Amino acid sequence: IFPPRHAMRMFRDSLVFFCRHVPNVNITSMGGFHIREAGATREQDLAFSMAIGAAYLQEGVKAGLEVDDFAPRFSFNAFGGSMEFFKEIAFHRAARRMWARVVKKAGAKNERSMLLRMASTAHCGRVNCSVQRPLNNLTRSIVGGIAAALAGGPPNCNPPFDEPLGLGWSLEAIQLSEDAARILQNEARLTEVMDPLAGSYYVESLTDEIENAAWAEFDKIQSLGGVVKAIENGYLQREVARSAYERQKRLEEGKDLIVGVNCYTGEGELEVQTARLVPHPYDEERRNNAEKVQIERLKEVKKGRDSKKVAELRKKLKAEAAREETNLFPTLIECVKAYATLQEICDTLREVFGEYQPAAL
């Protein structure tokens, strides 16, 4: 919600505070799958993610911290997300190699700092799931789960097949995804070997190809002054928009195929109506009343808190936000303990930082 430089200041403050006072917390979790789903190519996804990670490392060093004191507590939530099986495996192998180099270049000496900790590896990606014939999404997620295992991670079969329908992940769909992952691990035993495709001429070649292309994009971002400047001048946004346009064009021209969407859609094909198979799991009345209930709870909180203290703390936070050298986290914690709302805290910071406005594409 804040301009990139101020957002990075918030990250710096959190990084320093966690290193000094909360030694066991996972400091940040990065990843580019949302960039990929917005339209970025595989190589852009990897390069942008590494550039973001490099910026975070640099911010810690600028704050006077040793890389080895915080890099082991960085992780990646997810990269990638496509149905191109071997390329997704190679993508994750390239990511591990790139992150090790990025962290080492930042000054790390401990090998543990160079490990790429990943919550979720290869997957089919939500953008590849379809509203048409949604049960096909289960097949897609299983392909992603197999790729994840062969890429050296857990065989997560995500997302559940009904996500594109806006059902909020029905319990049946979640169960099928969970069981698919369990079958791959416990019955197919795909996780018994780490990186089983290492040495394959094809996968090794793809890994080198993807890594080299990602380094070229990474170096371009660095030549622009780093990822913050690349966001400020709109470079990243323009590149993602261009790639999204090209992807959509390939789909419309039939160069990229999605079963049941732009191919195999003839009259002889059966359209399975998932809505008849899976009921919505949530109570309609409760969902409709959620906003009303939350507003009432908020009123009760405000009624019982010390509003004068909240006002004083907001004034203190605003003054500290204007001083670049001041770490905001102690005051943020005071605000939370006094039951200042997230909206109030963010509004106070907006008064100093402003609000992010995208660069013109």
Side-chain angles (χ1 to χ4, degrees):
I1 62 176
F2 305 122
R5 291 185 185 280
H6 296 296
M8 192 62 85
R9 185 261 180 98
M10 297 286 288
F11 172 78
R12 179 206 69 190
D13 287 358
S14 67
L15 174 61
V16 171
F17 184 85
F18 292 150
C19 282
R20 291 177 180 168
H21 302 291
V22 197
N24 295 321
V25 76
N26 283 303
I27 293 169
T28 189
S29 189
M30 301 164 280
F33 79 93
H34 58 294
I35 304 175
R36 175 88 73 92
E37 298 207 339
T41 65
R42 180 176 290 105
E43 293 75 18
Q44 287 171 335
D45 173 2
L46 186 50
F48 296 171
S49 298
M50 292 297 148
I52 291 167
Y56 286 166
L57 292 168
Q58 185 181 27
E59 204 65 31
V61 172
K62 282 166 53 181
L65 302 173
E66 294 290 333
V67 173
D68 287 324
D69 290 339
F70 61 85
R73 292 189 282 146
F74 281 10
S75 66
F76 289 81
N77 49 46
F79 291 118
S82 89
M83 291 295 295
E84 294 181 285
F85 186 77
F86 290 109
K87 288 183 178 179
E88 282 302 297
I89 294 170
F91 171 92
H92 285 274
R93 301 179 79 250
R96 292 196 289 270
R97 300 199 314 208
M98 289 185 73
W99 182 241
R101 282 180 58 183
V102 167
V103 178
K104 189 172 184 179
K105 187 176 181 181
K109 297 178 178 61
N110 185 345
E111 288 188 358
R112 183 166 178 77
S113 301
M114 304 171 202
L115 292 176
L116 192 154
R117 300 168 63 230
M118 175 67 71
S120 177
T121 54
H123 59 292
C124 74
R126 289 157 177 80
V127 72
N128 298 293
C129 292
S130 65
V131 174
Q132 301 90 334
R133 302 184 203 168
L135 286 173
N136 285 346
N137 296 330
L138 180 59
T139 302
R140 295 181 177 109
S141 70
I142 292 171
V143 170
I146 296 172
L150 298 186
N156 297 324
C157 297
N158 285 317
F161 72 81
D162 63 357
E163 185 180 272
L165 303 179
L167 297 184
W169 294 11
S170 67
L171 298 179
E172 291 89 343
I174 292 172
Q175 186 71 61
L176 284 171
S177 290
E178 291 286 341
D179 281 349
R182 292 162 178 159
I183 290 168
L184 294 181
Q185 181 164 342
N186 298 306
E187 297 182 33
R189 299 188 180 183
L190 292 186
T191 58
E192 288 188 347
V193 179
M194 183 70 73
D195 198 15
L197 297 183
S200 158
Y201 77 91
Y202 183 55
V203 172
E204 294 290 356
S205 174
L206 281 177
T207 304
D208 291 341
E209 180 183 319
I210 291 168
E211 182 182 1
N212 291 337
W215 277 126
E217 182 63 37
F218 177 92
D219 291 340
K220 185 171 184 178
I221 293 170
Q222 299 307 99
S223 72
L224 295 172
V227 73
V228 171
K229 285 191 176 179
I231 293 171
E232 288 176 336
N233 66 27
Y235 172 75
L236 261 65
Q237 298 93 313
R238 286 192 299 273
E239 288 300 295
V240 172
R242 178 179 58 80
S243 297
Y245 168 77
E246 291 174 354
R247 179 182 186 275
Q248 185 61 32
K249 188 177 178 182
R250 290 196 304 273
L251 288 173
E252 292 177 4
E253 292 175 350
K255 293 178 180 177
D256 290 349
L257 301 179
I258 301 178
V259 172
V261 177
N262 66 348
C263 62
Y264 303 104
T265 57
E267 293 180 2
E269 301 288 338
L270 177 65
E271 297 298 329
V272 179
Q273 298 299 314
T274 310
R276 284 190 235 150
L277 302 178
V278 181
H280 198 291
Y282 301 115
D283 178 77
E284 193 76 18
E285 185 177 350
R286 181 181 176 188
R287 185 180 64 175
N288 292 337
N289 289 333
E291 182 179 0
K292 181 181 176 182
V293 169
Q294 186 62 25
I295 290 172
E296 290 303 316
R297 289 176 61 192
L298 185 60
K299 286 179 180 177
E300 288 299 314
V301 168
K302 288 186 174 182
K303 191 186 299 182
R305 72 184 185 181
D306 185 341
S307 295
K308 183 179 178 181
K309 184 176 181 181
V310 170
E312 290 172 353
L313 286 170
R314 290 183 65 183
K315 186 177 179 180
K316 179 183 177 183
L317 180 64
K318 183 177 178 180
E320 291 183 347
R323 297 194 295 268
E324 174 66 27
E325 70 281 358
T326 304
N327 192 304
L328 297 178
F329 259 69
T331 302
L332 287 171
I333 291 171
E334 284 188 80
C335 289
V336 171
K337 286 183 175 180
Y339 286 94
T341 67
L342 184 60
Q343 179 74 47
E344 290 170 331
I345 292 170
C346 289
D347 283 346
T348 301
L349 294 174
R350 282 188 184 95
E351 292 177 21
V352 181
F353 297 159
E355 194 165 19
Y356 173 66
Q357 298 297 327
L361 298 182

